[in-house]
Amino acid sequence: MGATGQGKAGQDAVEVNGQAVRGRSVVGGILTGLRLTVTSGVTGAAIAALVVGVILERVPVFLTGGGVLILLVLVGFVAGRRSPEPGDPPVTRTALARIEDLRATSGESADVPVDFRLTVAPEPEDGRPAYRVDIDERINLVDLPVYRPRGIAVVEYRPDEPWEVRIVTRPTPEWSRRAEEAEIDSAPESTLVEKPGPSEGSWCVLMLIMFLAGAATVVLLFRGELFTSDGGAGASSKQPSVTSSASSRTFTTSTTVSGPSSSLLVLGRMRETAAELEARVGTADVTAILIEERRMEIRGDSARPPGETVHLQMLPYELFPALVHEARTTLGVRDPKSWRIDVTPGASTGVGPRVRVTVTGKEGTARLDADATARILDRRPVGEAAEKG
């Protein structure tokens, strides 16, 4: 048996077969790379969700990110431990091969690693011409003298992946006899078959880009809450959209709080926000204060006498949340959608500043009035507030 006489037609057949095999393997490699790329994007999004959930104290976001990461770990673990189905083993063929070159590397055991360069000559019925391949084998020291350059060895190869070649160290008597009698010509260097694969560098870059894109997507979804905060320790930030205008006689300024636990009903939040607005306008005497769930606004007029103004720091902000709760639960609004507090001077009534809490829901609008000590003076349930004005 020999490879002599195959000529140019044999070389062309090798190239056609090699291109077909490489094509199938490249497609498989691309699919694997795409799967890893998508996984990288999902991983980046999950990690970003964990971080965002912690920063914003959003438990659902945190649990979603953690759940996706756990799922990815479980899928990877199961896929790594899954063994090939016993009913579908890889197809192999036995053939003879010419040893073009071999090089043994150092080893500390009885089995020595050996690098082989072979010319594999498949059987004629396999329909594949001879080709070259480089393989690594571990050969026992006792058997090592059997393998020498230009010698013939018995091998097994996979027709679908011809680079997967294994030397048969204990061939059958029939194949041993054929190996002793065979003469195989060297295949050209152009027939060398190597394991195909995508560019690892390109895939790594793409996976990194997808990882960052997944993380950026989650951050952008929550950018409104993330980037309107200054990250102050122990308290939510209050450095969002601010509008202000001032002149020699009047001023108006407001601030909107956001971030974790951003409601102004949180204990101490109203007083802190009032102090910030006071520092902004440079005075504590104002003509009106408006407080909503996440917004506080003050207005002032420098021409007003002190008796017609409200001092920002003299109000019982710590009692205002109780007034809001009272208005939301006792005035007939079963499902309040919004609330607001209006504080205005009360010099004309002689009772100091007036505090009015207004709540609105699908039933309508209701309100209650209180004095500067948060003592309730008047209640206007749903219906009455619209009639009495």
Side-chain angles (χ1 to χ4, degrees):
M1 177 181 181
T4 307
Q6 292 180 356
K8 186 176 186 299
Q11 296 179 27
D12 293 342
V14 169
E15 292 177 1
V16 171
N17 273 337
Q19 289 175 0
V21 171
R22 288 187 182 93
R24 291 193 298 270
S25 301
V26 167
V27 170
I30 290 175
L31 292 177
T32 301
L34 290 177
R35 185 169 61 251
L36 292 175
T37 301
V38 173
T39 302
S40 298
V42 175
T43 303
I47 294 176
L50 279 175
V51 176
V52 170
V54 171
I55 294 176
L56 299 183
E57 298 179 2
R58 299 281 289 273
V59 176
V61 177
F62 177 83
L63 293 180
T64 300
V68 171
L69 280 180
I70 293 174
L71 181 61
L72 290 174
V73 171
L74 290 177
V75 170
F77 179 77
V78 172
R81 292 182 60 89
R82 186 177 59 186
S83 58
E85 297 182 4
D88 190 22
V91 177
T92 60
R93 297 281 189 272
T94 304
L96 297 178
R98 173 189 171 98
I99 301 174
E100 302 293 346
D101 191 17
L102 74 161
R103 182 171 59 87
T105 57
S106 60
E108 299 179 356
S109 63
D111 293 332
V112 178
V114 181
D115 297 333
F116 285 92
R117 168 157 288 201
L118 306 174
T119 290
V120 179
E123 293 294 285
E125 57 268 23
D126 292 342
R128 176 182 293 277
Y131 64 91
R132 286 203 179 198
V133 67
D134 293 331
I135 64 170
D136 298 325
E137 285 279 1
R138 299 188 71 87
I139 304 298
N140 192 278
L141 283 172
V142 176
D143 299 327
L144 192 58
V146 176
Y147 303 99
R148 62 190 185 280
R150 296 182 297 280
I152 305 299
V154 181
V155 299
E156 285 186 348
Y157 74 96
R158 292 178 57 178
D160 57 335
E161 296 180 354
W163 54 85
E164 293 290 344
V165 178
R166 182 181 68 86
I167 291 181
V168 180
T169 56
R170 297 292 184 267
T172 63
E174 172 65 19
W175 279 102
S176 296
R177 182 185 60 80
R178 295 178 61 178
E180 293 175 357
E181 299 174 354
E183 293 183 3
I184 301 176
D185 292 339
S186 299
E189 287 287 346
S190 61
T191 63
L192 180 65
V193 175
E194 297 178 335
K195 184 176 181 179
S199 173
E200 295 183 1
S202 300
W203 282 119
C204 288
V205 172
L206 184 58
M207 290 169 62
L208 176 61
I209 292 174
M210 286 299 296
F211 180 89
L212 296 177
T217 300
V218 174
V219 173
L220 288 176
L221 288 176
F222 296 91
R223 64 186 183 279
E225 296 177 66
L226 288 171
F227 299 119
T228 55
S229 61
D230 59 8
S236 69
S237 60
K238 298 186 284 293
Q239 198 64 29
S241 59
V242 176
T243 59
S244 65
S245 62
S247 69
S248 60
R249 298 186 60 81
T250 62
F251 61 83
T252 300
T253 186
S254 66
T255 185
T256 304
V257 300
S258 63
S261 303
S262 58
S263 173
L264 283 170
L265 293 178
V266 174
L267 185 63
R269 186 63 50 75
M270 290 186 191
R271 188 170 296 279
E272 293 175 3
T273 307
E276 177 187 331
L277 294 177
E278 177 185 346
R280 187 173 301 165
V281 299
T283 179
D285 296 318
V286 299
T287 57
I289 303 173
L290 167 63
I291 305 173
E292 295 175 321
E293 181 75 32
R294 291 179 173 82
R295 180 173 177 270
M296 179 180 287
E297 177 184 294
I298 61 173
R299 294 189 297 273
D301 186 347
S302 58
R304 293 280 188 93
E308 297 180 13
T309 60
V310 177
H311 195 283
L312 282 172
Q313 297 303 323
M314 298 301 291
L315 296 173
Y317 296 107
E318 291 73 19
L319 302 179
F320 286 178
L323 291 178
V324 174
H325 177 75
E326 182 77 11
R328 298 175 68 178
T329 57
T330 65
L331 299 181
V333 181
R334 289 190 297 272
D335 186 20
K337 301 299 183 183
S338 63
W339 60 267
R340 62 181 285 169
I341 301 174
D342 292 282
V343 183
T344 54
S348 59
T349 62
V351 294
R354 184 184 68 174
V355 179
R356 171 167 290 180
V357 181
T358 304
V359 294
T360 303
K362 61 181 180 180
E363 297 85 359
T365 300
R367 70 170 185 260
L368 62 79
D369 294 331
D371 61 16
T373 64
R375 180 171 60 92
I376 297 175
L377 303 176
D378 187 23
R379 297 173 185 269
R380 304 289 176 88
V382 173
E384 293 185 23
E387 293 174 2
K388 297 181 180 180

